[in-house]
Each structure stands twice: as C-alpha cells, then as structure tokens.
Amino acid sequence: MHIRNLLLATVAVAGLAGAAQAENTLKWGANRDIGSLDPYSYGDSFTINVLNHVYEGLVRYNKDLKIEPALATSWEILEDNVTWRFKLREGVTFHNGNPFTADDVVASLTRVSDDASPLKGNLPAYVSSKAVDDLTVDITLNGTYPLLLNDLTNIHIFDKEWMTEHDALKPTDIGAGVEGYATYNANGTGPFSVESRQPDAKTVFVKNPGWWDTPQHNLDRIELLPVTSAATRVAALLSGEINFTNDAPVQDLPRLEAAPNVSVLEGVDLRTVMIGFPFRDKLTTGADNPFKDVKAREALYKAIDLDLIHQKVMRGKSRIAGATVAPPIPGYAPELDTVPGFDPEAAKALLAEVGVPEGLEFEFNCLSDGLVNEEQFCQAIASMWSRIGLKPKLDVAPRAVQTPKRTGGKTDIYILGWATLPMLDAYSPLLQIFHTKEGNSGVFNWGDWSFPELDKLVDAAGSELDLDKRIALETEALGIVKKEHIMVPLHQQPMAWAVTDEVSEMPLFPDNKPRLWFAQVNPGS
C-alpha cells in the first residue's frame, strides 16, 4: 500500500526552533458511539470490542481466533470437575499503577455475574470464585462445562481498589438507565488507556507504555469518532479526516475502491440478522397477539423476498441465511440452512387460516445505528408485510432509544443481529436468546417464549464435555428454533472495512472485531 500523509501536525515549542513530529494516530470513523466506558453495561459486542483495547480478560483470541493466555498464564480443571484454577500473570499493573492480583479477578467476576448485570448471561455456568493467593484464582461452576475459556475472552478485569474507591462494585446498565463512575471513567490493564471522552463526539485512547505484552502495533493514539451518516463517513475517509472505518457502506464500495488513497477490506460477517417475534398474549396496541401461533410467524417469513433484499438493499454482498448461526459456527448444519421461498399468496392463506384480522397493526422495532443497512431493509420488509394486508408501524430510532423498549417488552416484532460472540459456538444464541428467561439464561429472550424441550437440549449441551455429542445436541436444538420459527433469519451481513493509505497494516477478522493492537500506520500519520 502506498503511504502518503494526509495529516501533518506540528507542535510549537516556546524558545525552540522546529517542531515535534506528529503522533501515530488512527482516526476510527465508526457508524456509532460506544454506549459507555463500562464494558459490562450492555451486551453490545461493539462496545465490548472497543473497550477490549482498555480492559483485558484472563484469556483472549489471537490472530487466528484461537484462545491464548492473557492475564492468566495457565489453567487446569481440579478433581471435582467443576472448579477451574487459573495462574495469573506477574508484574501486570492497571493504568493507574495499581498491581493486578487475584482479588481484582474475584471482584470483576462478582460484578459481571450480579443479578443486575446485563452481561450475566456471558458467564452462564459461573457460581463463585475465590483467591487462593495473590496470583491464583479458583472459579467454581454449576457443573461440568466445556466453554468457560470462550466465555472468559469477553469478561474484562477491573481494579478492585479503583472500583471500591469510586463506589463502582455494582454493575451499571445502559438499558435500564443505571449509570455510575465506570460509565464515564476507565482503568484497565490493556494496550491503550482512555485519555478523554465526549459522548457522541470523540473518545481518545492513548498507548499504555506499561503494557505487559510486546506491542505489535505502532499507534500512539486512537480517536474513536462516531459518524452516523454513511455519506459523511465516506466523505471523511476520502478527504482523510478519518483513516479507518469498520463500516464502509456497501452501496459506496465501488466509489471507495476507485479512490487512489483508499483500500477496501471485505468479507462476510459471522453475524446472523434475524427477526424476533413477541410471544406475549397482547400486542403493544392491546390487540390479541396472533404471532404466538407458528403459522402466523411462518406467514410473515414467506412474505419476505430475501433475494430482493440481498440484491437491492445489501448490493449482493450479504449471504442469505436459513439457519440462525453461520456455517463456521459449531452447531451449524447444512440441512437447517434452507429458506421457505417468497410466496405472498401462501402467506395470506396462512394468516387467514389462523384468523389474523385484515389491517392488523403492530410495532416493528429497528435501529438507525445498528446493523448494515438496517433501516433500509426494515423499510423493505415493512412494505412486503403491508402487501399481505398487515399494517406494521415501523419504529426506527437509535439504540439508546430502542433498547429499553426491547428489554422491557414494550415493542412487538424487532430485528436482532447475533455473531455468537465471544463464544464462537451455537451454545451462545441457544442459551442467551432461545432458552427460557431464567437466571443467566434467556437474557436476550425479548419475546418471552419458552420451549421446555429446547431448554432441556441446551442445558444438556452446556454440561457435555464430549465435543461431538455437544454439537449434536446444539444442532437438534437449532432444529426446534427453525421448526417453530422462534426467530427467522434473513442473512449474514456483509463486512466491509476501509483504510486510507496512511494505514499500512489492518488485519480483517471474521468476527468483525477490530483489534487495533495489531494495526500499523505510517510514522507521523
């Protein structure tokens, strides 16, 4: 990649001739802001990913998405088969200089697993933890469980002393409007620390010179700049106001590819975009809810022209999905990856069969700052449903507005994207979305459904250590999801990043998570 400097900065120094060379700065133009500086505040993979530059887990995914040691250096399962012992890394300090110890791990696990934590579902088998000594932690689970390390890649470790000092031992919750000191302040062990934050404007991260690991990046500074308008984001990239985006609009890819100073990185995301239905007795209008009947859900599925959305809205860049997990995810089965076919007349017949009244009104909840082209494909789907005699009330708004409606059961049909993060296993959506809402299960079961047969399979998969048997259980459970149309899949969304020629190294990951500790820019950029 030819590198040219679009941003040259000089710093005048009183009494000295000359100027200092600009810092190596990555200007990240994202399609939205993070929700908080607290990674536990909401189960939003974008926020958690961004804050993974500040906070770290006991383990992490490497460049090949294989689990490797991070704040823990080794682990073993003790003889009882439910206790895992982790040996912690020596010499690690938090950004404020406090030493990292086992007490920090215990306090962090207690916080994230609290009943009030939005992320408690990310540690489904967790029961308790205790410090054996300063650098040894025992984690006790509720039974044999094969996926603890996968879970721990997303559980960031806080400084207990810092949390205690700032009354931050309890979790915050964006969806419920619960804020705290950790909402606006951060103190991790990661490769970058937070220098400043202006919500919805700019968050600045600077290199942590005391990071325990050997940096593979050459960044001094990362500026996270939320640019919600796709057109503005493209213009900023072309002009050099930003030099990286993890959300290059699919409709603008030809223009970006033709630009002499821009490179486009493309792939298909692991994230499956799905439609969720309410299983409550009443719709938000007060009318009886016909979507409790599987035939009504099937009718709405048949009314969607998936090929049209793929070609026109997603510009042929998505992958039409018949299964609720992507092919690389353990638990996926090709026989489940089928679609019913666009058939509006059959959809009308099914609605008539179950007695859905002509002109039925219901809320259709979508995000303006969520998935790739979400507003556009929601408009297309609403139009398709109107053609079979329904009256969807399209409700498009930012995540901050829509999240309380979804978590509080104050909407009807909605869109959800799920990439199985951080687990990279079908157990992730099966437990967090499709399981009955109870304890750490069903945290994202916003439709209030319950299928005991499915729950039994999911629970069994969660304690099965034999890989083949576990995957078979997960596949059987996904078969129930498909048969009952609990949620109907639309597509795996396209993944397109773009960089200017100031950026010399930017690995593209299939989980669509930028890991900027692997990024390189031209010196002085």
Side-chain angles (χ1 to χ4, degrees):
M1 189 181 297
H2 296 292
I3 307 299
R4 69 189 178 116
N5 293 332
L6 299 179
L7 175 64
L8 298 174
T10 59
V11 180
V13 181
L16 297 176
Q21 184 176 341
E23 293 180 315
N24 290 349
T25 301
L26 190 78
K27 294 189 175 183
W28 179 358
N31 74 335
R32 60 186 173 92
D33 197 11
I34 56 175
S36 166
L37 285 179
D38 184 350
Y40 295 175
S41 60
Y42 179 57
D44 167 35
S45 58
F46 177 72
T47 295
I48 295 170
N49 167 233
V50 171
L51 294 176
N52 203 183
H53 294 79
V54 177
Y55 291 97
E56 297 176 291
L58 296 180
V59 294
R60 67 187 180 189
Y61 288 114
N62 64 15
K63 269 190 173 183
D64 299 318
L65 295 188
K66 304 298 183 184
I67 292 171
E68 67 177 10
L71 293 180
T73 57
S74 64
W75 47 88
E76 62 177 327
I77 301 176
L78 301 186
E79 289 183 1
D80 62 5
N81 285 329
V82 297
T83 302
W84 293 55
R85 176 161 291 175
F86 290 83
K87 294 293 185 179
L88 307 182
R89 192 175 297 276
E90 293 186 59
V92 176
T93 58
F94 288 92
H95 296 150
N96 66 355
N98 287 347
F100 162 66
T101 70
D103 287 339
D104 303 313
V105 177
V106 173
S108 299
L109 294 176
T110 301
R111 186 176 189 268
V112 74
S113 61
D114 188 282
D115 285 342
S117 168
L119 232 64
K120 61 181 180 293
N122 278 14
L123 272 182
Y126 177 82
V127 174
S128 64
S129 58
K130 69 175 182 178
V132 178
D133 57 42
D134 281 351
L135 293 174
T136 308
V137 171
D138 283 355
I139 298 177
T140 300
L141 307 180
N142 59 13
T144 55
Y145 177 65
L147 293 164
L148 178 62
L149 295 179
N150 304 58
D151 296 341
L152 290 174
T153 60
N154 231 32
I155 303 300
H156 300 331
I157 302 303
F158 282 71
D159 173 11
K160 180 183 179 181
E161 183 179 339
W162 180 83
M163 288 195 296
T164 303
E165 178 184 354
H166 298 292
D167 193 25
L169 288 168
K170 297 290 285 184
T172 61
D173 185 342
I174 293 174
V178 178
E179 297 184 344
Y181 187 79
T183 306
Y184 301 101
N185 300 273
N187 178 38
T189 60
F192 299 91
S193 61
V194 177
E195 180 184 81
S196 62
R197 173 158 169 75
Q198 298 170 275
D200 299 318
K202 179 195 289 189
T203 304
V204 178
F205 307 91
V206 294
K207 179 178 68 176
N208 172 17
W211 190 33
W212 59 268
D213 203 0
T214 302
Q216 296 184 49
H217 70 88
N218 69 346
L219 306 180
D220 297 309
R221 182 182 181 90
I222 300 169
E223 296 181 3
L224 179 69
L225 305 163
V227 186
T228 56
S229 164
T232 303
R233 200 159 57 250
V234 169
L237 194 70
L238 293 172
S239 69
E241 293 176 62
I242 62 174
N243 51 22
F244 166 61
T245 181
N246 65 316
D247 188 9
V250 293
Q251 61 269 26
D252 291 308
L253 292 185
R255 181 183 175 199
L256 291 173
E257 289 167 342
N261 68 317
V262 174
S263 294
V264 175
L265 310 172
E266 289 189 75
V268 177
D269 198 347
L270 294 176
R271 187 174 306 279
T272 302
V273 178
M274 299 173 279
I275 297 174
F277 296 95
F279 281 56
R280 293 175 284 274
D281 291 335
K282 299 289 184 180
L283 297 173
T284 54
T285 61
D288 289 340
N289 175 18
F291 304 117
K292 293 171 61 179
D293 192 308
V294 65
K295 291 183 178 179
R297 302 193 293 274
E298 183 182 359
L300 266 62
Y301 198 7
K302 286 180 176 293
I304 299 172
D305 189 339
L306 295 173
D307 288 319
L308 184 66
I309 292 172
H310 169 69
Q311 292 295 338
K312 299 297 185 181
V313 180
M314 309 308 292
R315 304 303 199 275
K317 301 287 187 179
S318 61
R319 176 189 177 276
I320 295 174
T324 48
V325 295
I329 301 300
Y332 168 88
E335 62 269 22
L336 299 180
D337 199 5
T338 59
V339 296
F342 176 54
D343 192 340
E345 292 306 315
K348 290 179 183 178
L350 282 169
L351 292 178
E353 182 181 342
V354 297
V356 177
E358 181 82 15
L360 177 75
E361 292 188 359
F362 56 90
E363 295 280 343
F364 182 26
N365 183 290
C366 299
L367 303 181
S368 60
D369 57 354
L371 301 160
V372 175
N373 287 357
E374 181 169 349
E375 185 168 354
Q376 294 94 318
F377 70 69
C378 281
Q379 290 171 346
I381 291 170
S383 177
M384 294 169 189
W385 286 341
S386 296
R387 291 175 196 152
I388 60 169
L390 301 175
K391 288 189 177 180
K393 297 167 61 179
L394 185 58
D395 175 19
V396 180
R399 184 179 304 268
V401 174
Q402 303 295 55
T403 296
K405 297 178 186 177
R406 296 176 174 205
T407 59
K410 299 186 183 304
T411 193
D412 297 321
I413 296 176
Y414 57 89
I415 295 291
L416 177 67
W418 199 266
T420 75
L421 304 177
M423 195 176 286
L424 299 181
D425 191 276
Y427 186 69
S428 168
L430 285 171
L431 182 75
Q432 298 213 52
I433 301 175
F434 301 118
H435 196 286
T436 300
K437 187 182 295 185
E438 55 188 16
N440 289 348
S441 305
V443 175
F444 289 82
N445 179 344
W446 293 333
D448 291 337
W449 48 73
S450 180
F451 292 85
E453 181 186 357
L454 186 150
D455 293 348
K456 184 178 179 181
L457 290 167
V458 176
D459 293 343
S463 61
E464 179 55 67
L465 297 179
D466 183 283
L467 178 61
D468 291 338
K469 290 180 180 179
R470 176 171 63 79
I471 290 176
L473 289 165
E474 292 174 356
T475 301
E476 187 177 351
L478 289 173
I480 295 175
V481 172
K482 185 174 186 65
K483 176 184 175 183
E484 296 292 342
H485 298 308
I486 300 174
M487 298 188 81
V488 298
L490 301 175
H491 54 250
Q492 274 92 44
Q493 66 179 12
M495 177 171 59
W497 300 1
V499 295
T500 69
D501 53 10
E502 292 178 334
V503 180
S504 57
E505 184 71 26
M506 180 62 70
L508 179 71
F509 293 93
D511 61 358
N512 204 15
K513 283 188 171 186
R515 292 170 171 86
L516 301 181
W517 53 89
F518 294 122
Q520 299 268 339
V521 298
N522 187 49
S525 296

